[in-house]
Short mmCIF file of all heavy atoms in Angstrom, two decimals:
data_model
loop_
_atom_site.label_atom_id
_atom_site.label_comp_id
_atom_site.label_asym_id
_atom_site.label_seq_id
_atom_site.Cartn_x
_atom_site.Cartn_y
_atom_site.Cartn_z
N MET X 6 0.05 -13.04 -10.68
CA MET X 6 0.78 -12.01 -10.15
C MET X 6 0.63 -10.63 -10.87
O MET X 6 0.44 -10.81 -12.15
CB MET X 6 2.20 -12.36 -10.05
CG MET X 6 2.62 -13.58 -9.25
SD MET X 6 2.43 -13.40 -7.51
CE MET X 6 3.81 -12.57 -7.10
N ILE X 7 0.72 -9.57 -10.18
CA ILE X 7 0.55 -8.22 -10.86
C ILE X 7 1.75 -7.43 -10.34
O ILE X 7 2.40 -7.73 -9.43
CB ILE X 7 -0.73 -7.49 -10.52
CG1 ILE X 7 -0.90 -7.19 -9.01
CG2 ILE X 7 -2.03 -8.18 -11.11
CD1 ILE X 7 -2.05 -6.43 -8.53
N ARG X 8 1.96 -6.38 -11.22
CA ARG X 8 3.25 -5.54 -10.97
C ARG X 8 2.73 -4.16 -10.53
O ARG X 8 1.85 -3.48 -11.14
CB ARG X 8 4.00 -5.36 -12.23
CG ARG X 8 5.34 -4.74 -12.00
CD ARG X 8 6.07 -4.81 -13.25
NE ARG X 8 6.80 -6.11 -13.29
CZ ARG X 8 7.85 -6.40 -14.01
NH1 ARG X 8 8.23 -5.52 -14.95
NH2 ARG X 8 8.26 -7.65 -13.89
N ILE X 9 3.22 -3.65 -9.34
CA ILE X 9 2.97 -2.28 -8.84
C ILE X 9 4.20 -1.67 -8.50
O ILE X 9 5.31 -2.31 -8.50
CB ILE X 9 2.03 -2.50 -7.65
CG1 ILE X 9 2.76 -3.08 -6.52
CG2 ILE X 9 0.72 -3.17 -7.90
CD1 ILE X 9 2.03 -3.27 -5.20
N THR X 10 4.11 -0.39 -8.10
CA THR X 10 5.28 0.31 -7.58
C THR X 10 4.98 0.87 -6.27
O THR X 10 4.00 1.51 -5.96
CB THR X 10 5.54 1.54 -8.52
OG1 THR X 10 5.74 1.09 -9.92
CG2 THR X 10 6.80 2.27 -8.00
N VAL X 11 5.89 0.45 -5.26
CA VAL X 11 5.66 0.90 -3.83
C VAL X 11 6.96 1.71 -3.62
O VAL X 11 8.03 1.33 -3.47
CB VAL X 11 5.65 -0.31 -2.89
CG1 VAL X 11 5.46 0.12 -1.49
CG2 VAL X 11 4.45 -1.14 -3.24
N ASN X 12 6.68 3.01 -3.12
CA ASN X 12 7.72 4.00 -2.88
C ASN X 12 8.84 3.90 -3.94
O ASN X 12 10.02 3.80 -3.52
CB ASN X 12 8.30 3.80 -1.43
CG ASN X 12 7.19 3.93 -0.27
OD1 ASN X 12 6.21 4.54 -0.64
ND2 ASN X 12 7.47 3.57 0.86
N GLY X 13 8.47 3.93 -5.20
CA GLY X 13 9.55 3.90 -6.26
C GLY X 13 10.07 2.69 -6.65
O GLY X 13 10.89 2.57 -7.54
N GLU X 14 9.77 1.52 -5.94
CA GLU X 14 10.32 0.19 -6.22
C GLU X 14 9.28 -0.67 -6.79
O GLU X 14 8.12 -0.91 -6.31
CB GLU X 14 10.78 -0.31 -4.91
CG GLU X 14 11.42 -1.79 -4.99
CD GLU X 14 11.77 -2.37 -3.74
OE1 GLU X 14 12.27 -1.60 -2.94
OE2 GLU X 14 11.46 -3.58 -3.54
N VAL X 15 9.54 -1.18 -7.96
CA VAL X 15 8.66 -2.16 -8.64
C VAL X 15 8.66 -3.41 -7.95
O VAL X 15 9.74 -4.00 -7.54
CB VAL X 15 9.12 -2.38 -10.05
CG1 VAL X 15 8.17 -3.41 -10.76
CG2 VAL X 15 8.95 -0.92 -10.87
N ARG X 16 7.39 -3.99 -7.62
CA ARG X 16 7.14 -5.20 -6.95
C ARG X 16 6.11 -6.06 -7.71
O ARG X 16 5.26 -5.52 -8.38
CB ARG X 16 6.68 -4.95 -5.52
CG ARG X 16 7.65 -4.26 -4.64
CD ARG X 16 6.75 -4.00 -3.24
NE ARG X 16 7.72 -3.61 -2.23
CZ ARG X 16 8.23 -4.31 -1.41
NH1 ARG X 16 7.92 -5.56 -1.23
NH2 ARG X 16 9.08 -3.82 -0.51
N GLU X 17 6.19 -7.36 -7.56
CA GLU X 17 5.23 -8.22 -7.98
C GLU X 17 4.47 -8.72 -6.64
O GLU X 17 5.11 -9.17 -5.80
CB GLU X 17 5.72 -9.30 -8.79
CG GLU X 17 6.18 -8.90 -10.16
CD GLU X 17 6.40 -10.18 -11.03
OE1 GLU X 17 6.28 -11.21 -10.70
OE2 GLU X 17 6.86 -9.77 -12.17
N VAL X 18 3.11 -8.60 -6.72
CA VAL X 18 2.23 -9.21 -5.71
C VAL X 18 1.23 -9.88 -6.30
O VAL X 18 0.91 -9.99 -7.44
CB VAL X 18 1.70 -7.95 -4.82
CG1 VAL X 18 2.86 -7.09 -4.17
CG2 VAL X 18 0.75 -7.02 -5.72
N ARG X 19 0.51 -10.68 -5.41
CA ARG X 19 -0.55 -11.60 -5.82
C ARG X 19 -1.75 -10.84 -6.12
O ARG X 19 -2.15 -9.82 -5.65
CB ARG X 19 -0.82 -12.60 -4.72
CG ARG X 19 -1.49 -12.18 -3.56
CD ARG X 19 -1.82 -13.29 -2.62
NE ARG X 19 -2.20 -12.73 -1.33
CZ ARG X 19 -3.35 -12.37 -1.00
NH1 ARG X 19 -4.33 -12.29 -1.89
NH2 ARG X 19 -3.60 -11.83 0.26
N THR X 20 -2.43 -11.30 -7.20
CA THR X 20 -3.71 -10.74 -7.61
C THR X 20 -4.71 -10.72 -6.39
O THR X 20 -4.75 -11.74 -5.78
CB THR X 20 -4.22 -11.47 -8.93
OG1 THR X 20 -3.29 -11.51 -9.87
CG2 THR X 20 -5.49 -10.92 -9.41
N GLY X 21 -5.56 -9.72 -6.31
CA GLY X 21 -6.52 -9.77 -5.30
C GLY X 21 -6.00 -9.22 -3.89
O GLY X 21 -6.82 -9.11 -2.96
N LEU X 22 -4.80 -8.88 -3.83
CA LEU X 22 -4.18 -8.32 -2.56
C LEU X 22 -4.86 -7.13 -2.09
O LEU X 22 -5.06 -6.10 -3.01
CB LEU X 22 -2.67 -8.07 -2.74
CG LEU X 22 -1.92 -7.78 -1.45
CD1 LEU X 22 -1.62 -9.00 -0.60
CD2 LEU X 22 -0.56 -7.17 -1.87
N THR X 23 -5.27 -6.90 -0.83
CA THR X 23 -5.73 -5.66 -0.50
C THR X 23 -4.76 -4.73 -0.01
O THR X 23 -3.65 -5.12 0.39
CB THR X 23 -6.86 -5.79 0.73
OG1 THR X 23 -6.14 -6.25 1.86
CG2 THR X 23 -7.98 -6.84 0.42
N ALA X 24 -4.92 -3.49 0.21
CA ALA X 24 -4.12 -2.40 0.74
C ALA X 24 -3.56 -2.91 2.16
O ALA X 24 -2.51 -2.88 2.48
CB ALA X 24 -4.58 -1.13 0.74
N ALA X 25 -4.57 -3.37 2.96
CA ALA X 25 -4.27 -3.85 4.30
C ALA X 25 -3.40 -4.90 4.26
O ALA X 25 -2.34 -5.05 5.22
CB ALA X 25 -5.49 -4.21 5.03
N GLU X 26 -3.50 -5.95 3.36
CA GLU X 26 -2.69 -7.17 3.32
C GLU X 26 -1.23 -6.67 2.74
O GLU X 26 -0.23 -7.20 3.31
CB GLU X 26 -3.21 -8.13 2.28
CG GLU X 26 -4.41 -8.80 2.85
CD GLU X 26 -5.19 -9.60 1.85
OE1 GLU X 26 -5.26 -9.31 0.64
OE2 GLU X 26 -5.88 -10.66 2.16
N LEU X 27 -1.17 -5.66 1.96
CA LEU X 27 0.08 -5.23 1.55
C LEU X 27 0.87 -4.66 2.66
O LEU X 27 2.10 -4.83 2.98
CB LEU X 27 0.08 -4.27 0.37
CG LEU X 27 1.39 -3.49 -0.02
CD1 LEU X 27 2.19 -4.50 -0.63
CD2 LEU X 27 1.10 -2.36 -0.99
N ILE X 28 0.14 -3.78 3.51
CA ILE X 28 0.74 -3.14 4.71
C ILE X 28 1.28 -4.22 5.60
O ILE X 28 2.42 -4.13 6.22
CB ILE X 28 -0.24 -2.30 5.50
CG1 ILE X 28 -0.62 -1.05 4.54
CG2 ILE X 28 0.25 -1.81 6.80
CD1 ILE X 28 0.52 -0.21 4.11
N ALA X 29 0.59 -5.29 5.84
CA ALA X 29 0.96 -6.35 6.78
C ALA X 29 2.20 -7.14 6.25
O ALA X 29 3.10 -7.32 6.92
CB ALA X 29 -0.19 -7.40 6.88
N GLU X 30 2.19 -7.35 4.82
CA GLU X 30 3.40 -8.05 4.24
C GLU X 30 4.55 -7.17 4.43
O GLU X 30 5.80 -7.61 4.44
CB GLU X 30 3.16 -8.28 2.75
CG GLU X 30 2.25 -9.40 2.49
CD GLU X 30 2.06 -9.83 1.12
OE1 GLU X 30 2.88 -9.22 0.10
OE2 GLU X 30 1.08 -10.64 0.74
N LEU X 31 4.47 -5.81 4.42
CA LEU X 31 5.52 -4.90 4.53
C LEU X 31 5.98 -4.70 5.99
O LEU X 31 6.74 -3.80 6.28
CB LEU X 31 5.26 -3.49 3.90
CG LEU X 31 5.23 -3.56 2.32
CD1 LEU X 31 4.63 -2.28 1.94
CD2 LEU X 31 6.35 -4.05 1.73
N GLU X 32 5.19 -5.38 6.96
CA GLU X 32 5.49 -5.32 8.40
C GLU X 32 5.32 -3.80 8.93
O GLU X 32 6.08 -3.43 9.78
CB GLU X 32 6.71 -5.87 8.78
CG GLU X 32 6.82 -7.34 8.37
CD GLU X 32 8.25 -7.94 8.70
OE1 GLU X 32 9.15 -7.27 9.16
OE2 GLU X 32 8.30 -9.23 8.54
N LEU X 33 4.19 -3.13 8.45
CA LEU X 33 4.07 -1.75 8.85
C LEU X 33 2.73 -1.69 9.70
O LEU X 33 2.44 -0.53 10.08
CB LEU X 33 3.89 -0.84 7.52
CG LEU X 33 5.15 -0.76 6.66
CD1 LEU X 33 4.98 -0.04 5.55
CD2 LEU X 33 6.40 -0.13 7.59
N ALA X 34 2.07 -2.71 9.93
CA ALA X 34 0.63 -2.68 10.52
C ALA X 34 0.64 -2.01 11.87
O ALA X 34 -0.29 -1.40 12.25
CB ALA X 34 0.11 -4.10 10.58
N SER X 35 1.70 -2.13 12.59
CA SER X 35 1.76 -1.62 14.04
C SER X 35 2.27 -0.17 14.07
O SER X 35 2.44 0.39 15.12
CB SER X 35 2.55 -2.55 14.92
OG SER X 35 3.98 -2.59 14.54
N ARG X 36 2.64 0.43 12.93
CA ARG X 36 3.22 1.69 12.86
C ARG X 36 2.15 2.71 12.29
O ARG X 36 1.15 2.40 11.75
CB ARG X 36 4.30 1.68 11.92
CG ARG X 36 5.45 0.78 12.43
CD ARG X 36 6.71 0.80 11.61
NE ARG X 36 7.57 -0.21 12.02
CZ ARG X 36 8.75 -0.44 11.41
NH1 ARG X 36 9.08 0.18 10.29
NH2 ARG X 36 9.54 -1.36 11.82
N ARG X 37 2.41 4.09 12.55
CA ARG X 37 1.70 5.07 11.96
C ARG X 37 2.06 5.51 10.64
O ARG X 37 3.29 5.55 10.34
CB ARG X 37 1.80 6.23 12.97
CG ARG X 37 1.20 6.03 14.36
CD ARG X 37 1.32 7.21 15.14
NE ARG X 37 0.46 8.32 14.65
CZ ARG X 37 0.32 9.54 15.18
NH1 ARG X 37 1.01 9.77 16.28
NH2 ARG X 37 -0.25 10.40 14.53
N PHE X 38 1.23 5.48 9.74
CA PHE X 38 1.56 5.71 8.31
C PHE X 38 0.41 6.36 7.53
O PHE X 38 -0.70 6.18 7.98
CB PHE X 38 2.03 4.47 7.71
CG PHE X 38 0.93 3.36 7.62
CD1 PHE X 38 -0.01 3.25 6.71
CD2 PHE X 38 0.85 2.35 8.67
CE1 PHE X 38 -1.04 2.28 6.79
CE2 PHE X 38 -0.13 1.50 8.83
CZ PHE X 38 -1.01 1.39 7.89
N ALA X 39 0.73 6.77 6.29
CA ALA X 39 -0.39 7.24 5.45
C ALA X 39 -0.12 6.54 4.14
O ALA X 39 1.12 6.22 3.66
CB ALA X 39 -0.33 8.79 5.28
N VAL X 40 -1.13 6.23 3.37
CA VAL X 40 -1.04 5.48 2.06
C VAL X 40 -1.60 6.34 0.94
O VAL X 40 -2.87 6.87 1.11
CB VAL X 40 -1.71 4.15 2.12
CG1 VAL X 40 -1.67 3.42 0.85
CG2 VAL X 40 -1.20 3.26 3.15
N GLU X 41 -0.89 6.52 -0.07
CA GLU X 41 -1.44 7.20 -1.21
C GLU X 41 -1.36 6.42 -2.36
O GLU X 41 -0.21 5.70 -2.55
CB GLU X 41 -0.47 8.47 -1.43
CG GLU X 41 -0.90 9.33 -2.60
CD GLU X 41 0.05 10.55 -2.85
OE1 GLU X 41 -0.10 11.49 -2.23
OE2 GLU X 41 0.96 10.31 -3.74
N ILE X 42 -2.48 6.18 -3.18
CA ILE X 42 -2.51 5.21 -4.30
C ILE X 42 -2.87 6.08 -5.39
O ILE X 42 -4.00 6.77 -5.42
CB ILE X 42 -3.40 4.11 -4.00
CG1 ILE X 42 -3.04 3.22 -2.79
CG2 ILE X 42 -3.49 3.20 -5.28
CD1 ILE X 42 -3.96 2.09 -2.50
N ASN X 43 -2.03 6.11 -6.47
CA ASN X 43 -2.17 6.90 -7.68
C ASN X 43 -2.48 8.35 -7.37
O ASN X 43 -3.42 9.01 -7.94
CB ASN X 43 -3.31 6.26 -8.61
CG ASN X 43 -2.91 4.83 -8.86
OD1 ASN X 43 -1.76 4.44 -9.08
ND2 ASN X 43 -3.82 4.00 -8.85
N GLU X 44 -1.72 8.89 -6.45
CA GLU X 44 -1.86 10.22 -6.04
C GLU X 44 -3.01 10.66 -5.34
O GLU X 44 -3.39 11.93 -5.17
CB GLU X 44 -1.57 11.22 -7.34
CG GLU X 44 -0.34 10.93 -7.97
CD GLU X 44 0.09 11.99 -9.07
OE1 GLU X 44 -0.89 12.80 -9.40
OE2 GLU X 44 1.01 11.78 -9.71
N THR X 45 -3.67 9.66 -4.69
CA THR X 45 -4.92 9.80 -3.91
C THR X 45 -4.72 9.25 -2.47
O THR X 45 -4.49 8.06 -2.43
CB THR X 45 -6.21 9.41 -4.60
OG1 THR X 45 -6.34 9.99 -5.80
CG2 THR X 45 -7.53 9.57 -3.73
N VAL X 46 -4.89 9.96 -1.45
CA VAL X 46 -4.66 9.40 -0.06
C VAL X 46 -5.83 8.49 0.20
O VAL X 46 -7.05 8.74 -0.15
CB VAL X 46 -4.80 10.59 0.86
CG1 VAL X 46 -4.73 9.95 2.36
CG2 VAL X 46 -3.61 11.43 0.73
N LEU X 47 -5.49 7.21 0.58
CA LEU X 47 -6.42 6.22 1.04
C LEU X 47 -6.68 6.27 2.49
O LEU X 47 -5.73 6.01 3.25
CB LEU X 47 -5.97 4.82 0.50
CG LEU X 47 -6.95 3.75 0.76
CD1 LEU X 47 -8.16 3.81 -0.19
CD2 LEU X 47 -6.26 2.40 0.49
N PRO X 48 -7.96 6.56 2.85
CA PRO X 48 -8.24 6.69 4.31
C PRO X 48 -8.03 5.32 4.95
O PRO X 48 -8.18 4.24 4.30
CB PRO X 48 -9.76 7.00 4.38
CG PRO X 48 -9.99 7.63 3.12
CD PRO X 48 -9.08 7.01 2.15
N ARG X 49 -7.47 5.12 6.06
CA ARG X 49 -7.28 4.03 6.85
C ARG X 49 -8.49 3.01 6.90
O ARG X 49 -8.42 1.81 6.70
CB ARG X 49 -6.78 4.20 8.30
CG ARG X 49 -5.39 4.39 8.43
CD ARG X 49 -5.04 4.57 10.01
NE ARG X 49 -4.43 3.38 10.52
CZ ARG X 49 -3.16 3.19 10.55
NH1 ARG X 49 -2.25 4.10 10.11
NH2 ARG X 49 -2.66 2.00 11.04
N SER X 50 -9.74 3.50 6.97
CA SER X 50 -10.95 2.80 6.92
C SER X 50 -11.19 2.12 5.68
O SER X 50 -12.00 1.23 5.63
CB SER X 50 -12.05 3.79 7.31
OG SER X 50 -12.20 4.76 6.38
N HIS X 51 -10.42 2.42 4.51
CA HIS X 51 -10.64 1.70 3.23
C HIS X 51 -9.47 0.73 2.96
O HIS X 51 -9.56 0.12 1.97
CB HIS X 51 -10.65 2.78 2.10
CG HIS X 51 -12.06 3.59 2.29
ND1 HIS X 51 -12.06 4.82 2.88
CD2 HIS X 51 -13.14 3.46 1.76
CE1 HIS X 51 -13.19 5.27 2.85
NE2 HIS X 51 -13.94 4.43 2.22
N LEU X 52 -8.56 0.57 3.87
CA LEU X 52 -7.45 -0.26 3.73
C LEU X 52 -7.83 -1.72 3.41
O LEU X 52 -7.31 -2.38 2.49
CB LEU X 52 -6.37 -0.30 4.75
CG LEU X 52 -5.57 1.01 4.82
CD1 LEU X 52 -4.64 0.98 6.18
CD2 LEU X 52 -4.67 1.37 3.61
N THR X 53 -8.91 -2.18 4.05
CA THR X 53 -9.18 -3.63 3.87
C THR X 53 -10.25 -3.71 2.64
O THR X 53 -10.31 -4.87 2.24
CB THR X 53 -10.05 -4.18 5.13
OG1 THR X 53 -11.21 -3.21 5.29
CG2 THR X 53 -9.23 -4.14 6.32
N GLU X 54 -10.65 -2.62 2.18
CA GLU X 54 -11.63 -2.71 0.99
C GLU X 54 -10.75 -2.63 -0.26
O GLU X 54 -11.34 -3.10 -1.42
CB GLU X 54 -12.67 -1.62 1.07
CG GLU X 54 -13.45 -1.75 2.31
CD GLU X 54 -14.34 -0.50 2.52
OE1 GLU X 54 -14.38 0.34 1.57
OE2 GLU X 54 -14.88 -0.27 3.57
N TYR X 55 -9.84 -1.79 -0.39
CA TYR X 55 -9.15 -1.45 -1.67
C TYR X 55 -8.29 -2.69 -2.13
O TYR X 55 -7.38 -3.11 -1.37
CB TYR X 55 -8.22 -0.25 -1.55
CG TYR X 55 -7.69 0.17 -2.84
CD1 TYR X 55 -8.35 1.03 -3.67
CD2 TYR X 55 -6.37 -0.36 -3.28
CE1 TYR X 55 -7.94 1.42 -5.02
CE2 TYR X 55 -5.84 0.01 -4.53
CZ TYR X 55 -6.62 0.87 -5.28
OH TYR X 55 -6.17 1.04 -6.60
N ARG X 56 -8.62 -3.13 -3.19
CA ARG X 56 -7.87 -4.18 -3.95
C ARG X 56 -6.75 -3.57 -4.93
O ARG X 56 -7.10 -2.71 -5.70
CB ARG X 56 -8.75 -5.07 -4.83
CG ARG X 56 -9.82 -5.77 -4.02
CD ARG X 56 -9.46 -7.27 -3.82
NE ARG X 56 -10.59 -7.80 -2.87
CZ ARG X 56 -10.35 -8.51 -1.92
NH1 ARG X 56 -9.06 -8.95 -1.65
NH2 ARG X 56 -11.21 -8.99 -1.13
N ILE X 57 -5.60 -3.96 -4.57
CA ILE X 57 -4.43 -3.54 -5.35
C ILE X 57 -4.66 -3.80 -6.88
O ILE X 57 -4.91 -4.96 -7.11
CB ILE X 57 -3.12 -4.06 -4.93
CG1 ILE X 57 -2.88 -3.66 -3.36
CG2 ILE X 57 -1.92 -3.45 -5.70
CD1 ILE X 57 -2.75 -2.21 -3.03
N ARG X 58 -4.41 -2.87 -7.75
CA ARG X 58 -4.61 -3.14 -9.23
C ARG X 58 -3.13 -3.18 -9.92
O ARG X 58 -2.27 -2.40 -9.50
CB ARG X 58 -5.55 -2.23 -9.88
CG ARG X 58 -6.82 -2.26 -9.30
CD ARG X 58 -7.74 -1.19 -9.89
NE ARG X 58 -9.06 -1.19 -9.17
CZ ARG X 58 -9.38 -0.28 -8.37
NH1 ARG X 58 -8.52 0.71 -7.98
NH2 ARG X 58 -10.60 -0.26 -7.80
N SER X 59 -3.08 -3.82 -10.94
CA SER X 59 -1.83 -3.85 -11.79
C SER X 59 -1.54 -2.32 -12.14
O SER X 59 -2.47 -1.63 -12.64
CB SER X 59 -1.99 -4.73 -13.11
OG SER X 59 -0.81 -4.68 -13.82
N GLY X 60 -0.26 -1.94 -12.04
CA GLY X 60 0.07 -0.63 -12.37
C GLY X 60 -0.07 0.44 -11.32
O GLY X 60 0.30 1.59 -11.46
N ASP X 61 -0.79 0.08 -10.17
CA ASP X 61 -0.80 0.99 -9.10
C ASP X 61 0.59 1.55 -8.69
O ASP X 61 1.42 0.79 -8.48
CB ASP X 61 -1.59 0.39 -7.84
CG ASP X 61 -3.08 0.38 -8.03
OD1 ASP X 61 -3.66 0.94 -8.95
OD2 ASP X 61 -3.71 -0.28 -7.15
N ARG X 62 0.49 2.85 -8.36
CA ARG X 62 1.74 3.59 -7.80
C ARG X 62 1.30 3.90 -6.37
O ARG X 62 0.55 4.82 -6.17
CB ARG X 62 2.08 4.70 -8.63
CG ARG X 62 2.41 4.45 -10.05
CD ARG X 62 2.87 5.60 -10.90
NE ARG X 62 4.11 6.15 -10.35
CZ ARG X 62 5.37 5.66 -10.52
NH1 ARG X 62 5.59 4.45 -11.29
NH2 ARG X 62 6.52 6.10 -10.06
N ILE X 63 2.04 3.30 -5.45
CA ILE X 63 1.76 3.41 -4.00
C ILE X 63 2.76 4.07 -3.26
O ILE X 63 4.06 3.63 -3.43
CB ILE X 63 1.35 1.99 -3.43
CG1 ILE X 63 0.22 1.26 -4.21
CG2 ILE X 63 1.11 2.01 -1.97
CD1 ILE X 63 0.04 -0.11 -3.82
N GLU X 64 2.54 4.99 -2.52
CA GLU X 64 3.47 5.72 -1.61
C GLU X 64 2.94 5.51 -0.21
O GLU X 64 1.86 5.65 0.05
CB GLU X 64 3.57 7.23 -1.92
CG GLU X 64 4.17 7.49 -3.24
CD GLU X 64 5.52 7.11 -3.46
OE1 GLU X 64 6.38 7.27 -2.62
OE2 GLU X 64 5.92 6.88 -4.64
N ILE X 65 3.78 4.99 0.78
CA ILE X 65 3.64 4.79 2.07
C ILE X 65 4.54 5.60 2.86
O ILE X 65 5.77 5.42 2.69
CB ILE X 65 3.82 3.39 2.44
CG1 ILE X 65 2.82 2.46 1.60
CG2 ILE X 65 3.44 3.09 3.98
CD1 ILE X 65 3.05 1.05 1.74
N VAL X 66 4.02 6.59 3.61
CA VAL X 66 4.83 7.41 4.37
C VAL X 66 4.64 7.16 5.88
O VAL X 66 3.39 7.06 6.45
CB VAL X 66 4.39 8.88 4.20
CG1 VAL X 66 5.22 9.90 4.99
CG2 VAL X 66 4.58 9.16 2.63
N GLN X 67 5.66 6.95 6.59
CA GLN X 67 5.57 6.68 8.01
C GLN X 67 5.71 7.90 8.87
O GLN X 67 6.58 8.82 8.40
CB GLN X 67 6.70 5.72 8.36
CG GLN X 67 6.66 4.22 7.84
CD GLN X 67 7.65 3.44 8.38
OE1 GLN X 67 7.79 3.21 9.60
NE2 GLN X 67 8.50 2.93 7.44
N ALA X 68 4.93 8.02 9.88
CA ALA X 68 4.95 9.25 10.78
C ALA X 68 6.03 8.96 11.74
O ALA X 68 6.10 7.96 12.35
CB ALA X 68 3.59 9.40 11.42
N ILE X 69 6.81 9.89 11.93
CA ILE X 69 7.80 9.79 12.97
C ILE X 69 7.63 11.00 13.96
O ILE X 69 7.57 12.13 13.61
CB ILE X 69 9.30 10.19 12.18
CG1 ILE X 69 9.42 8.88 11.28
CG2 ILE X 69 10.24 10.10 13.29
CD1 ILE X 69 10.65 9.08 10.46
N GLY X 70 7.60 10.62 15.24
CA GLY X 70 7.26 11.59 16.37
C GLY X 70 8.61 12.04 16.89
O GLY X 70 9.62 11.44 16.81
N GLY X 71 8.61 13.17 17.46
CA GLY X 71 9.82 13.70 18.18
C GLY X 71 9.33 14.64 19.21
O GLY X 71 8.14 14.98 19.32
N GLY X 72 10.34 15.18 19.96
CA GLY X 72 9.90 16.09 21.04
C GLY X 72 10.92 17.03 21.36
O GLY X 72 11.88 17.38 20.90
#
């Protein structure tokens, strides 16, 4: 297990977890969102490639539409 911070909350996740798997665990896969890891925006196309590392600071922002 490794320790990361997601939206200001410390969490323990399994070693080798990808950003896409984290999004799925957080039940956000069907929503519109942006992911920033260590102050760098991670393109959606890289979610399956990026392996979460110990100490990563992750911010997930959901898009909210209105009219």
Side-chain angles (χ1 to χ4, degrees):
M6 298 295 277
I7 59 173
R8 189 171 277 194
I9 63 172
T10 303
V11 179
N12 292 349
E14 179 182 320
V15 176
R16 295 176 169 261
E17 286 193 359
V18 297
R19 67 177 169 81
T20 303
L22 188 74
T23 66
E26 291 168 329
L27 175 64
I28 295 299
E30 285 185 12
L31 296 173
E32 299 179 355
L33 297 173
S35 64
R36 300 183 183 173
R37 296 181 61 178
F38 59 86
V40 177
E41 181 182 277
I42 300 178
N43 302 323
E44 300 182 2
T45 301
V46 174
L47 183 67
R49 276 186 100 96
S50 60
H51 291 94
L52 290 174
T53 57
E54 300 167 8
Y55 185 86
R56 300 256 176 222
I57 305 295
R58 298 178 186 103
S59 182
D61 276 352
R62 297 186 65 78
I63 302 167
E64 295 293 327
I65 302 170
V66 179
Q67 295 183 56
I69 298 175

